[in-house]
Amino acid sequence: MELFEAMRTTRAMRRLDPDRPVSDEDIWTIIEAATKAPSGGNRQVARWLVVTDTERKAKIGEIYGRSWKAVRGGYVAALGDDAPTAILTSADYLSDHMGEAPVIVIPCSRTEDPASIYPGCQNLFLAARSLGLGTALTTVHRLNEAEVKAVLDVPDDVHTWAMIPVGYPLGRWGEAKRRPIEETTYWDTYGEKRPRSA
Ligand SMILES: Cc1cc2nc3c(=O)[nH]c(=O)nc-3n(C[C@H](O)[C@H](O)[C@H](O)COP(=O)(O)O)c2cc1C
């Protein structure tokens, strides 16, 4: 798949087919792509915890759902009338189905700062997209992170930064809707905009 097309169509895919397995080889491939990303001082602090065990997935899925339900109200209140219904509906769906994803990838590190984790996550999302696999970056489990760590035997000094469901999408790949770049890009001084064609 062409890189720019992959970037345009890599979305938060929260509805995944629970009955279509993902091959180990595809998991290795997307994690290998993740490891090609930069990390501070090339220390390669990320550890990728791949969860395929049905019972453990169900347990961490339940923790995820509970965490989402705890933050949902605050999220809706913060956004007020602008709360995007489609995102909420799909986030609600994931909160009820996280544990049924064929695979859940949990990026971990011993560092206190996740900055060296997210570039790898994005590589993983793009690689998954090119294989036809949907993913979603989620972090709300961190509200109850200790419980997740207990299920997966994660040592006390290791952080679990995200919970990433991986599977074949039930829906279609759409193009990500984003603010126009002319609005979000400044030239030379903060706030100084320029039309793209100039
Ligand atoms: C740091 C971060 C944390 C996120 N946490 C969650 C989460 O806990 N649950 C969830 O459903 N989506 C989560 N998302 C996904 C965003 O809601 C999603 O990227 C955004 O709505 C854009 O979606 P789109 O790419 O499909 O347009 C998170 C995204 C980021 C970058």
Side-chain angles (χ1 to χ4, degrees), residues 1-170:
M1 162 174 273
E2 198 264 328
L3 178 62
F4 281 91
E5 191 196 340
M7 288 193 288
R8 273 197 302 272
T9 59
T10 296
R11 310 286 310 272
M13 300 301 271
R14 299 190 182 91
R15 292 181 180 84
L16 303 172
D17 188 343
D19 300 320
R20 191 168 165 199
V22 174
S23 73
D24 283 4
E25 187 48 35
D26 280 356
I27 294 298
W28 287 117
T29 299
I30 64 175
I31 290 179
E32 184 171 38
T35 64
K36 302 298 180 192
S39 61
N42 195 26
R43 285 192 297 134
Q44 303 173 59
V45 293
R47 296 294 176 269
W48 305 91
L49 179 47
V50 179
V51 188
T52 56
D53 177 73
T54 308
E55 270 183 39
R56 286 185 213 268
K57 283 191 302 174
K59 283 184 186 162
I60 64 174
E62 186 278 324
I63 300 165
Y64 177 84
R66 202 166 5 103
S67 307
W68 166 249
K69 286 171 182 81
V71 300
R72 188 187 192 280
Y75 182 74
V76 174
L79 288 172
D81 289 343
D82 291 338
T85 316
I87 293 181
L88 283 175
T89 310
S90 111
D92 287 340
Y93 179 91
L94 179 61
S95 80
D96 291 333
H97 296 274
M98 174 68 89
E100 297 157 27
V103 179
I104 300 175
V105 176
I106 315 248
C108 306
S109 77
R110 285 199 151 82
T111 54
E112 294 300 322
D113 176 356
S116 285
I117 298 298
Y118 288 131
C121 291
Q122 187 62 26
N123 267 16
L124 183 144
F125 301 148
L126 290 169
R129 171 70 189 95
S130 79
L131 295 174
L133 290 167
T135 54
L137 179 64
T138 80
T139 53
V140 296
H141 79 280
R142 291 180 50 72
L143 200 62
N144 296 298
E145 190 190 8
E147 289 182 58
V148 172
K149 286 167 64 166
V151 174
L152 304 174
D153 292 341
V154 177
D156 284 347
D157 62 338
V158 170
H159 299 281
T160 63
W161 294 112
M163 195 180 277
I164 303 169
V166 183
Y168 291 93
L170 288 171

Side-chain angles (χ1 to χ4, degrees), residues 179-187 192-197:
R179 291 180 200 280
I181 51 173
E182 291 90 342
E183 187 185 309
T184 56
T185 309
Y186 305 142
W187 295 77
E192 183 65 33
K193 295 180 186 172
R194 174 188 290 189
R196 187 173 188 174
S197 54

